C-alpha cells in the first residue's frame, strides 16, 4: 500500500504538478534525478527545480514530503562511513594519496526500520553497510550547516584519534576531490 500525496504545501505541489501523486512514485522519481549539488543546499525545492540533488538534498526533500503528507516511520539519517574506492565511485583519489578511507557523511532514509538510499539510480545502502562508523537522525532543515559541522567535527576527531599525518584541510581537500569525481 502506498500513501497518496495530498498536502497543499509547496514541495508536495511540485510533485503533483509533475504527475507524481503517491509516496512510492516520489521515491522512484527522486532516485532517478541526476546527482549534483544544488545552488542552495537549504532550499529543498531546488531538487525538482534544478533537476539534481545530493544525498542530503534528495533525502531531506523526501523526508519533508513524508512530513507534509503524514507518512509514518520515515527517518532522515546522517551516517558516517568509511569512504573507500571499493564502496564509492571515486576513482583512485585515495590510493593516489596513500589513504585507505576518509570518514564521509552520507544521508539516507530509514523507512520502517530499513535503510534505503535514493541518491542515484544505482545507489544501494548495502555498499556501505559494513563500513558504517556512526549514525544520527536529523530533520530536513539540518542538512545544511548542521550536517557540515557534524561531519567536520567527526573528521577532526578521527584525525586526532588515528594520529594522522594529514591536516584537516588536506583531508578535506582530498574529500572534495572525491565528491567532485562523483559528480562527473
Amino acid at each position: 500500500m502506498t500513501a497518496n500525496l495530498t498536502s497543499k504545501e509547496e514541495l508536495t505541489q511540485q510533485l503533483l504538478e509533475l504527475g507524481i501523486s503517491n509516496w512510492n512514485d516520489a521515491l522512484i522519481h527522486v532516485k532517478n534525478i541526476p546527482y549534483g549539488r544544488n545552488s542552495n543546499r537549504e532550499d529543498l525545492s531546488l531538487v525538482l527545480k534544478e533537476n539534481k540533488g545530493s544525498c542530503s538534498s534528495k533525502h531531506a526533500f523526501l523526508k519533508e514530503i513524508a512530513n507534509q503528507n503524514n507518512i509514518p516511520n520515515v527517518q532522515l539519517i546522517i551516517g558516517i562511513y568509511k569512504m573507500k574506492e571499493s564502496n564509492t565511485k571515486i576513482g583512485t583519489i585515495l590510493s593516489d594519496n596513500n589513504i585507505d578511507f576518509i570518514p564521509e557523511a552520507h544521508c539516507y532514509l530509514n523507512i520502517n526500520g530499513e535503510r534505503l538510499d535514493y541518491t542515484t539510480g544505482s545507489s544501494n545502502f548495502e555498499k556501505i553497510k559494513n563500513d558504517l562508523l556512526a549514525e544520527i537522525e536529523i530533520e530536513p532543515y539540518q542538512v545544511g550547516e548542521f550536517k557540515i559541522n557534524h561531519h567536520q567535527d567527526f573528521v577532526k576527531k578521527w584525525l586526532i584519534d588515528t594520529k594522522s599525518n594529514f591536516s584537516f584541510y588536506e583531508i578535506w581537500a582530498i574529500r572534495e576531490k572525491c565528491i567532485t569525481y562523483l559528480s562527473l
Side-chain angles (χ1 to χ4, degrees):
M1 184 174 100
T2 186
N4 288 326
L5 304 179
T6 59
S7 170
K8 301 297 182 205
E9 294 185 58
E10 177 190 359
L11 296 182
T12 298
Q13 291 302 306
Q14 279 184 295
L15 285 171
L16 292 172
E17 287 169 14
L18 293 173
I20 299 162
S21 60
N22 67 63
W23 174 241
N24 285 347
D25 288 349
L27 294 171
I28 292 165
H29 181 79
V30 170
K31 185 171 181 115
N32 289 316
I33 290 173
Y35 177 86
R37 286 183 170 165
N38 298 104
S39 58
N40 176 350
R41 74 168 56 227
E42 296 180 15
D43 182 353
L44 300 180
S45 72
L46 296 179
V47 170
L48 296 181
K49 289 177 183 173
E50 295 179 350
N51 194 43
K52 66 179 178 180
S54 64
C55 67
S56 300
S57 60
K58 286 184 172 192
H59 292 99
F61 175 89
L62 289 168
K63 171 59 175 160
E64 188 59 31
I65 292 298
N67 289 348
Q68 289 179 6
N69 291 279
N70 300 311
I71 298 167
N73 305 315
V74 177
Q75 297 173 300
L76 176 59
I77 305 294
I78 297 174
I80 306 281
Y81 76 101
K82 296 177 184 178
M83 179 173 63
K84 305 187 266 187
E85 293 169 1
S86 61
N87 65 14
T88 309
K89 295 179 182 178
I90 52 173
T92 59
I93 295 167
L94 296 181
S95 57
D96 292 347
N97 287 280
N98 295 313
I99 299 171
D100 293 328
F101 73 89
I102 294 176
E104 178 58 19
H106 186 61
C107 285
Y108 45 90
L109 297 179
N110 184 322
I111 302 175
N112 294 315
E114 184 179 359
R115 296 177 184 116
L116 298 164
D117 189 346
Y118 294 97
T119 306
T120 68
S122 62
S123 293
N124 182 346
F125 183 81
E126 294 297 312
K127 293 177 187 176
I128 66 167
K129 176 176 84 173
N130 294 327
D131 294 312
L132 202 60
L133 299 169
E135 287 182 299
I136 62 167
E137 181 180 1
I138 62 168
E139 291 300 322
Y141 71 89
Q142 293 178 295
V143 296
E145 190 175 332
F146 177 87
K147 180 189 175 216
I148 294 167
N149 291 337
H150 176 71
H151 184 196
Q152 289 181 346
D153 289 347
F154 191 99
V155 170
K156 288 173 185 172
K157 184 178 180 326
W158 170 75
L159 288 169
I160 292 167
D161 291 349
T162 61
K163 297 177 175 55
S164 175
N165 293 326
F166 288 96
S167 73
F168 169 76
Y169 299 101
E170 290 168 326
I171 284 290
W172 201 256
I174 293 166
R175 178 219 170 251
E176 282 298 315
K177 286 182 186 174
C178 293
I179 301 306
T180 299
Y181 191 92
L182 283 171
S183 299
L184 301 177

